[in-house]
């Protein structure tokens, strides 16, 4: 069974279970937000809209998450350091700490495979990228799967080579490292809407287009707040404004899907533990096993 035929569960802004209210606002934010954030209350409000997950990496892995959506940044103003952090409005934990947490899980579960999608970089020049890439290599070593034709990457292939990690790197330096897959092999079309019906229609449309590309594919089942959404619901935050109300409808859509090259490959959501995504996705993968059984 090819990895792009399976149905995997992913998390959106996977690292955002913890953000640092005491750190400066990240370089991914507009200048006006940075100025406003000098007021401590503004950072508390930002946190309500920046946090999209409750579970740590370890808890997500134990809960069935296998795809991780990662945004990273240097911390401008840090003297004499090249440390790279996760970021979503506010700075999260060091990337190194997150990678080590994942590697510990993989060491305990040698048949598990994960996808790490480094898709946004902020305040990083080539020297920062070299530093981060070397950290990735140090963390996972021989667990890293070198770039191959997507069609060739099966579970059996991964197990035979003792590979467990596919890294997708949306920056030109990926060409210099055999273990960095180009970002183009992990398209993740974004609906950019607050309307759940428009979101589900978008997911349907992009799935229909998926098979022609021969890649992995992310269905982002996420609703994105607009400025006016945040302004109207400042204190309520993302979870209480958009996620709680709409996740059951999104889960119902997931239940009607199927795995396979014409179906869903990876689905991401905010606050993945709020509904029974994991059990639903695992049950849908059982359909592949049924298809794979030889006829008697």
């Amino acid at each position: 069974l090819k990895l792009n035929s399976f149905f995997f569960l992913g998390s959106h802004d996977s690292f955002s279970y913890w953000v640092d209210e005491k750190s400066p606002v990240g370089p991914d934010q507009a200048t006006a937000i940075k100025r406003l954030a000098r007021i401590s209350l503004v950072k508390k409000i930002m946190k309500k809209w920046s946090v999209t997950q409750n579970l740590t990496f370890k808890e997500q892995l134990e809960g069935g998450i296998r795809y991780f959506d990662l945004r990273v940044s240097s911390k401008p103003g840090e003297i004499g350091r090249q440390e790279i952090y996760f970021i979503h409005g506010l700075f999260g934990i060091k990337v190194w700490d997150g990678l080590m947490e994942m590697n510990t899980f993989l060491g305990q579960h040698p048949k598990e495979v994960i996808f790490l999608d480094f898709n946004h970089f902020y305040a990083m020049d080539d020297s920062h990228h070299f530093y981060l890439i070397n950290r990735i290599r140090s963390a996972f070593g021989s667990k890293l799967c070198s770039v191959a034709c997507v069609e060739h990457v099966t579970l059996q292939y991964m197990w035979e080579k003792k590979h467990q990690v596919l890294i997708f790197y949306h920056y030109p330096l990926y060409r210099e490292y055999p273990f960095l897959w180009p970002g183009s092999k992990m398209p993740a079309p974004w609906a950019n809407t607050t309307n759940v019906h428009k979101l589900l229609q978008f997911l349907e449309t992009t799935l229909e287009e998926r098979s022609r590309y021969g890649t992995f594919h992310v269905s982002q089942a996420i609703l994105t707040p607009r400025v006016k959404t945040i302004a109207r619901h400042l204190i309520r935050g993302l979870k209480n404004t958009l996620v709680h109300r709409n996740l059951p409808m999104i889960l119902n859509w997931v239940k009607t899907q199927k795995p396979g090259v014409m179906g869903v490959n990876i689905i991401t959501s905010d606050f993945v533990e709020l509904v029974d995504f994991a059990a639903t996705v695992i049950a849908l993968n059982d359909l592949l096993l049924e298809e794979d059984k030889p006829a008697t």
Side-chain angles (χ1 to χ4, degrees), residues 93-239:
I93 65 171
K94 293 175 184 175
V95 171
W96 174 252
D97 293 341
L99 299 182
M100 293 309 291
E101 195 174 337
M102 293 177 182
N103 191 55
T104 298
F105 174 87
L106 294 173
Q108 295 164 351
H109 303 86
K111 287 198 166 183
E112 294 294 344
V113 172
I114 63 172
F115 304 85
L116 304 187
D117 191 0
F118 288 87
N119 49 53
H120 286 74
F121 303 97
Y122 301 96
M124 289 175 61
D125 57 25
D126 280 2
S127 68
H128 291 107
H129 281 280
F130 287 128
Y131 174 83
L132 173 58
I133 293 166
N134 283 324
R135 294 302 248 176
I136 292 168
R137 181 162 49 192
S138 297
F140 298 118
S142 62
K143 294 186 181 76
L144 292 165
C145 176
S146 293
V147 178
C149 174
V150 172
E151 296 294 312
H152 295 163
V153 185
T154 64
L155 264 185
Q156 193 66 38
Y157 173 91
M158 298 293 285
W159 292 343
E160 285 173 0
K161 294 184 173 291
K162 294 185 166 50
H163 292 332
Q164 293 182 265
V165 186
L166 290 90
I167 303 287
F168 296 84
Y169 208 81
H170 298 240
Y171 188 78
L173 279 177
Y174 77 82
R175 297 187 186 97
E176 299 185 24
Y177 296 86
F179 59 86
L180 295 182
W181 291 64
S184 60
K185 294 293 182 185
M186 186 62 84
W190 174 43
N192 192 16
T193 181
T194 58
N195 183 300
V196 69
H197 301 289
K198 288 182 180 176
L199 168 66
L200 298 180
Q201 183 57 55
F202 178 84
L203 293 176
E204 292 278 1
T205 302
T206 50
L207 269 184
E208 288 167 10
E209 298 166 355
R210 178 199 157 193
S211 60
R212 76 178 73 153
Y213 298 119
T215 62
F216 298 101
H217 181 88
V218 182
S219 297
Q220 294 198 70
I222 57 168
L223 294 166
T224 306
R226 307 209 183 289
V227 172
K228 65 181 181 182
T229 315
I230 296 171
R232 286 176 186 162
H233 306 280
L234 270 182
I235 306 303
R236 295 187 73 211
L238 178 70
K239 189 199 293 186

Side-chain angles (χ1 to χ4, degrees), residues 36-63:
L36 274 174
R38 292 170 187 161
I39 306 164
S40 60
L41 177 63
V42 171
K43 282 192 183 175
K44 291 186 186 303
I45 292 169
M46 280 187 71
K47 183 175 180 179
K48 283 183 174 288
W49 293 91
S50 294
V51 170
T52 66
Q53 304 297 334
N54 288 326
L55 304 181
T56 65
F57 283 132
K58 178 175 183 285
E59 290 166 339
Q60 289 182 48
L61 285 161
E62 289 171 345

